[in-house]
Amino acid sequence: MKKLTADQSKKNSSDYNPLFYDRNVIQVMILASSLIVFSMLLIGFLSYYFTEKEVIKKLKEKELLFIAQSISSKVEEQIDRAIETSTLLADDPSMMEWVQGREQNDKLTQNAKDKLRMIVNPSGYDNSFVVSSLTNHYWGEKGTILETMSKDKKDNDWFFQRLANSEKVVVVVDYNGARQQSFVFVNVLMGDLNHPVGVAGVGLSLKGLSDDMAAYKYSSNSQMWMVDSAGIVHLSDDYTHTGHNLKEIVSGELQHQVMDNFKQGLQVMESHTPSGDKVDVISYPIQSMNMRLLFQIPRNDTVYYLRNIKLNTAVAIVISILSIIFFFFYVSRKLANPYQRALRLNQELEFQVGERTKELATINSELLDSIGYAQRIQKSVMPDSEELAQLLPNHFVIWRPRDEVGGDFYWLKKAERGYFLAVGDCTGHGVPGAFMTMLCISHLNQIVDSGSLEGNPAEILSRLNRQIKETLRQQHQDEWADDGLDLALCYVEGSELVFAGGRSSIFVTDVNKDLQIYNGDRRSLGYRRTPTDYLYKNQHIQIDEHTRVYMATDGIFDQNGGDKGLSFGKSRLKHFIIAHANTPLIEQEVLFRKQLAEFQGNESQRDDMLLLAFQPVKADGRT
C-alpha cells in the first residue's frame, strides 16, 4: 500500500507541467521577442528606404550633372580652340593677301603652305585647309592642292553653300563611314562676309575624346553618347557605337524621351534598358555643335552598396530569431524539471529575478535605441538649422515632442520665386505621430514638386487633404481609421505673405507692433469629417522688414500649469508677443522657454509642442 502511494506520487509528479505554471513568463518572452524583431525590421526598412532616396537624389542633382558638365566642357574646350585657330588662319593678313592675289606670289604661297602644315602637326588637328573662291583651289594640310571645287560635284556643295551663308563661323560635324569615325570641321569665311574670298579652317577627329569619356565612367556598366538631332551617335565611350542610330543602342522609351526633348535644356530622366533594367539618364545640350551629351547609369550600380545593408539587416534578424528560440527552449527545459526546480527554487529565485530584470532592461534599452533612431530619422526629414538660416536669417524654433518623437513638425521648401513654410500637428504622439509627420512631409514635397502651385497654399492644402484621405483610406465616413492633421501653411514672396490653414492660426505683428491674428479654415486635413473635395482659402497679407510671424501647435496652448493648473492658452502667447515686440527673436526664444518652464512647473507635458517665429522680410527688404 505504501509502495503504491509512492508510485502514484511519482506518476503524478511526472505529469506535472511547470510550463503551465510559468505561462505568463513565456507570453512576456514571446511578446518581447516579437517587438525586438519588429523593431529591427522596421528600422532596417526605413533606413534602406530613406538612404536609397537620398542616394538617388544626390546622383540626379549633383553627380550626373557634374559628369555631364565635365565632359561637355572638355568637348567645348576643343571646339573653342579649333574655332580660335580657324579664325586666326582666316584673318591672317598674309593668307588674305595670298588668296586675293589668286595664289600667284611664290613667297606668299610658301608661307601659306608652312602655316597649313604647322597648324596640323603640333596642335593635334587632323587637317587644315584654305579654299579660294577666286580660283576654287582646295589647299590641304600638306601644302598641296587637293582638288578644284566645282558646282557640278555634289561633294563640293558645302563650299558654295558656305560662301552663300554670311555667318562668320560655322561648326559642322560629319560622320565618315569609310573611316568609321566622326569629324568636326570649323569653316571660317575670309574677308568681307557678304563677298568672301575663301573659306579657311581646321578639322579634328572625335575619336580621341572617346578615351577621355571613358575616364568619366561612373561604373563599368554606365554609358555615354554624343548624338545629333537625327539620333546619330558621333561620340561614345564605346567606340563601336559611333555612327549608329541611338534607337539601335538604347530602348525605344529612352530614345523617344531624348529626341522628343532634343531642343530643351538640361534633362534628367528615368528610363529602362531594352532588358527592362531601370536607368538614370542626363541629357545635356552642347550648343556649339547642336548636339546632346547622354550619360546613362544603371540604378543597380547606384545603390549596389545598399544591398550590404539589406543583407546585414537580414542576417542580424535571423541571428536574433535563432538566439531567441534557443533561449526560449533552454529556459523551458530548465524549468520543466520539477525535481530540480523544487530543490533549487529558493536558491535560484533571487538569481532568476535578477536575470529577468537584466533581460527586461536589455529589451527596454533596445526599444529606447529604436525610438532614438526614429527621432534622428524624423529630424532628418525636417529642415536643419542651416536650411532655416539660409531662408530665415531671423527666426527661432521650439520643438518639444512629448515622447522623444511626435506628431508636430515644421517644413520649409524653397520655390522658384519665394518659399513655403508650414507648421503641422498630426494625430497621435510618439512613433505613430512621427510616422504621420513623415507621411505628410513626403506628400507636401510631392505636391509642391509637381509644379504650378507657387503662391497658392490653399490648393496645396486641398490636395494634401485628398492625398492623406486616399493614403489612409479615409474617403468614407464608415471607415474605422480617422487620422489627419492641423496645418498652417505660408507662402512668402516679396512684400506679400499668403496664408492658408486647417484649424490653425498665425500671429502677425507689423511696424507699429500691433498684433493681428489670422485664422485658417475650420476643417482639419485628412479626417473623415472633412469632405474630400473641401476647398481651403488663401489670405493675402502685406509684409515688410518689421513684420514678424508666429506659428504654434495646440500643445503650447493646452499645456496646463500655474497656481490653478489652467491651460497656457492663446492669451498668454498674445501677451508675450506684445510685451516683447521690440525684443530680437533670438532673445525671445530664451524668454519664452523660461516663461513656459515656469508656468508648467512640475506638471507633465501633455502634448507635443511646437512654436516657430520668423521675420519673413530681411532688413534689406528682400525675402
Side-chain angles (χ1 to χ4, degrees), residues 173-199:
V173 182
D174 183 39
Y175 176 72
N176 190 311
R179 298 187 182 184
Q180 293 187 344
Q181 57 181 297
S182 293
F183 291 86
V184 176
F185 294 97
V186 180
N187 301 326
V188 182
L189 294 178
M190 301 178 67
D192 186 353
L193 298 182
N194 294 319
H195 300 90
V197 298
V199 178

Side-chain angles (χ1 to χ4, degrees), residues 301-326:
D301 289 1
T302 305
V303 298
Y304 74 95
Y305 68 89
L306 295 180
R307 298 171 189 164
N308 294 331
I309 297 177
K310 187 187 296 184
L311 178 61
N312 292 338
T313 302
V315 171
I317 292 173
V318 171
I319 293 175
S320 300
I321 293 174
L322 292 177
S323 300
I324 291 168
I325 293 174
F326 172 78

Side-chain angles (χ1 to χ4, degrees), residues 335-560:
L335 295 179
N337 189 335
Y339 295 104
Q340 187 176 8
R341 185 183 181 198
L343 293 173
R344 297 183 180 179
L345 182 60
N346 291 332
Q347 298 176 1
E348 294 183 354
L349 182 60
E350 184 176 354
F351 173 79
Q352 290 175 1
V353 171
E355 288 299 307
R356 289 176 182 173
T357 302
K358 292 180 182 179
E359 180 183 344
L360 293 175
T362 301
I363 295 173
N364 183 63
S365 176
E366 292 176 351
L367 290 175
L368 290 176
D369 289 344
S370 299
I371 294 175
Y373 193 87
Q375 184 186 54
R376 291 195 294 273
I377 293 175
Q378 185 179 25
K379 286 183 177 180
S380 70
V381 300
M382 293 192 292
D384 57 26
S385 56
E386 293 182 1
E387 292 175 307
L388 288 170
Q390 185 177 5
L391 292 177
L392 308 173
N394 195 5
H395 77 281
F396 74 80
V397 178
I398 299 176
W399 182 63
R400 284 178 52 186
R402 192 190 70 177
D403 304 314
E404 299 298 324
V405 293
D408 286 4
F409 72 93
Y410 52 95
W411 173 77
L412 178 66
K413 184 78 170 180
K414 191 178 186 311
E416 184 176 345
R417 301 186 304 272
Y419 59 87
F420 292 95
L421 182 62
V423 165
D425 182 1
C426 298
T427 305
H429 312 286
V431 173
F435 273 123
M436 280 292 296
T437 65
M438 289 187 284
L439 174 66
C440 295
I441 290 174
S442 176
H443 279 308
L444 279 170
N445 286 324
Q446 177 188 359
I447 293 170
V448 174
D449 289 342
S450 65
S452 72
L453 294 177
E454 189 165 358
N456 192 0
E459 177 60 22
I460 295 176
L461 263 61
S462 298
R463 293 193 186 183
L464 181 60
N465 174 55
R466 292 194 295 271
Q467 292 192 14
I468 293 295
K469 293 171 77 68
E470 291 171 359
T471 302
L472 302 180
R473 299 180 181 178
Q474 298 178 166
Q475 300 97 322
H476 306 293
Q477 293 291 331
D478 56 351
E479 296 290 341
W480 63 270
D482 191 18
D483 299 312
L485 74 155
D486 300 337
L487 185 68
L489 178 59
C490 295
Y491 172 77
V492 180
E493 178 184 350
S495 61
E496 184 179 57
L497 182 149
V498 185
F499 163 68
R503 282 183 64 90
S504 296
S505 305
I506 61 173
F507 302 77
V508 181
T509 61
D510 57 18
V511 64
N512 300 318
K513 310 305 178 185
D514 294 328
L515 176 63
Q516 180 72 36
I517 301 177
Y518 295 87
N519 298 314
D521 293 89
R522 296 184 179 181
R523 295 282 189 174
S524 300
L525 285 74
Y527 291 101
R528 288 184 296 173
R529 60 181 175 272
T530 302
T532 303
D533 57 352
Y534 187 82
L535 298 178
Y536 294 87
K537 299 178 182 63
N538 286 323
Q539 300 184 49
H540 297 265
I541 306 169
Q542 294 302 310
I543 57 176
D544 56 28
E545 64 269 25
H546 303 288
T547 304
R548 291 177 178 177
V549 182
Y550 299 79
M551 309 168 72
T553 60
D554 58 12
I556 298 286
F557 309 131
D558 295 341
Q559 179 60 46
N560 58 319

